Amino acid sequence: MHSTDRALDADAPVSATSRVLHLRRGGTSVVIDLDASPTPAIVHWGEELVDSPDESLGSLALAARPQRVSGGLDETARLTVIPTPAGGWLGTPGLEGHRSGAGFSARFDVAGIQANDHRASLALVDGESRLAAQLELRVGPSGLFHQRLTVRNTGETPYTVQSLQLFFPVPWDATELLDTTGRHLRERTPQRREFTFGTHLRESRRGRPGADATLLLAAGRPGFGFETGRVHGIHVAWSGNHRVLAERVVTGEAFLAGGELLGAGEIVLAPGTSLASPWVIGSWGDGLTELSHRFHDEWRRRPQHPRRPRPVTLNTWEAVYFDHSLEKLSQLADAAAQAGIERFVLDDGWFAGRRDDTKGLGDWYVDETVWPEGLHPLIRHVRGLGMEFGLWVEPEMINPDSDLARSHPDWILRGRMQLPPSARQQQVLDLAHPEAYAYIAERLHAILDEHEIAYLKWDHNRDLVDAGSGPEGVARVHDHTLAVYRLIDELKAAHPGLEIESCASGGARVDLGILDRTDRIWTSDSLDPLERLANQRHTALVVPPELMGMHLTSPVVHSSGRAVGLGLSAAVALFGHFGVEWDLTSAAPETRERVAEWVALAKRVRPLVATGRTVDVDGTDPGIDVRGIVAEDAAAAFFTITQVETTVAYPPGRIRMPGLDPARRYRVQVLSPGQPYEDAGQSALEWATQGVVLTGRELATIGLRPPVQLPQRSTVVELTALS
């Protein structure tokens, strides 16, 4: 295909080899058989076919066509871009809908195609069902494969959309699945299973992705890991209800699919109106690391991606909770500034009546009983210390015990007269209600106009349950999600430079829909560094590390009660947007000095975190975690060696450090912020004390002995290429 858009004639005669579209960029090819029936079919998604001529691609399309077999249909059905039962497809359909119970059958024909070398738009029509559709397909600069489907009602009666799914075929030998599950304080816990015949379905019905949602659904060759094994995965870039599935059918097709999960009657298209699905994004790689780098690299290319160094942040929640006073918070700000903190965020408890978590949500006015002069004295103090000021908000939520709820109970999302079950003593505000939206927008704009606020920590502390527009109203998650997007976009447009964090009971709203308009996510409310290892590794399958909030914590972890050392807590937090969640005024002076050393190291490595490539090392002893970040030009890297538990081998066997330039030589040295280097061995680890120079190939294939460490210890290793 040529690089400029061109139209393809959908009615052109079939040649000896099929007409095909070949979309390619960033190491990825997508080959589409235009002559498949009734709509085109994707015959390849994966490795870029750099030397395949059109004739060969046509033959590839022919080679993918199934034969008719006994017991089957007379016209063989296959997976197409919008498979439906009317075309003979008996698996999960691409579109389901009806007109008041009738007109359920849909079968699309191609009306036109616009395409260039990495993007295509297919116009599809079904005159009988009076529907039109546009399928957008594009391969991004880093090789991500994006799909979005828009369906329009061309009839004269309403059409109810039940589901829209986008389909990503995977190789037949991809027989192992990986997804994640979890709960509050333990999001994105990995789980694997065999990819057998039938459907593996994951749905989020929480009105947000949820702590138990899978960020990625991946299928690969058995035993695929981070470093090796061909693997394909998809992500739904949507912050409301969604569905992903893996399906293997007896007609020889295996695929991943995803889209929005719609409530009963949630989308009814009036004549002439349309519904666009979320973007569903696919990535692939030889190992999960390569798959994740496609997400990271493409996300970093966005014009709105944060470019300045990520400010080291202190959040006040675990330091003061609801115990607010100007004196206490000013002392905390002093301690933060002394440690090198750059952003001070005032968490929950600053607004009217908010002395605990049972009341006040929705009353977005500064509490005059706690702040008689408003927030201005604290903000002046924080900014006078050279730090930015940030503020916690939860605009989508409302406490029944609030002036707002008493004045406007009709603004609460509900499907019945009775309110939905409460969570954290709160309900959800219906932002799709025009008056509720206008109130919240006015309050947030007013707060930002009055104060010098650089950052909003936007929280979302409960699932949406029975979320409707009122008794006997309509399902509202779709419209509410779009309203949240619109509100965030409006705030950022009106307040240039404002940064927003997506927090949702920790990491319950982590998706590329919300991250296309915010500047980071709060990865988890759990700051337990051992719990964070798996969480951060699997969040980074999709999210670039610089957009993941990672904070060191207090000596006793709030969420788990585990006693942890500063070295472990800080080392685990180095691999993202670094911060502190701790009452530093309670720490001894020497401890604060050590915190300052770690903050200084975080500042030194953050350019690497923001631009480098993550490395997760396979094959280590189960008691040892090894991960790192390597500069894009491979000139520098840092790794952590974390002792999760004791090992049977004692001293432990060698660990590898892959991802470097095989031909370059690297000086390898241990960093020990705030204290001299020491380990639990009874003799010195010679390479750590004397220093060594090894090639990238030697480090990747042979490695070196890790230090002998007690459990819950971590060692930071810096690698610098020699000129």
Side-chain angles (χ1 to χ4, degrees), residues 60-77:
L60 181 68
L62 285 177
R65 294 185 183 176
Q67 293 176 268
R68 183 162 62 92
V69 294
S70 64
L73 300 175
D74 291 338
E75 293 184 16
T76 55

Side-chain angles (χ1 to χ4, degrees), residues 389-410:
F389 183 81
L391 191 66
W392 180 94
V393 293
E394 195 172 6
E396 299 161 73
M397 300 298 156
I398 184 170
N399 286 125
D401 187 0
S402 67
D403 291 342
L404 183 65
R406 285 184 282 271
S407 300
H408 297 285
D410 55 313

Side-chain angles (χ1 to χ4, degrees), residues 593-659:
E593 291 177 7
R594 290 188 61 207
V595 171
E597 292 269 1
W598 280 103
V599 169
L601 176 59
K603 291 178 179 179
R604 182 159 72 83
V605 302
R606 68 185 169 188
L608 184 56
V609 171
T611 59
R613 292 181 171 270
T614 56
V615 176
D616 289 281
V617 183
D618 291 328
T620 61
D621 187 291
I624 299 176
D625 176 278
V626 181
R627 64 184 68 191
I629 293 185
V630 178
E632 197 171 13
D633 63 0
F638 75 94
F639 282 74
T640 56
I641 307 169
T642 302
Q643 195 76 35
V644 179
E645 58 187 29
T646 61
T647 59
V648 175
Y650 195 63
R654 284 184 285 194
I655 53 97
R656 298 176 300 104
M657 295 182 177

Side-chain angles (χ1 to χ4, degrees), residues 403-426:
D403 291 342
L404 183 65
R406 285 184 282 271
S407 300
H408 297 285
D410 55 313
W411 290 2
I412 298 175
L413 281 174
R414 67 176 88 184
R416 305 171 60 84
M417 290 293 295
Q418 182 180 6
L419 288 175
S422 65
R424 209 188 182 208
Q425 295 81 48
Q426 63 194 51

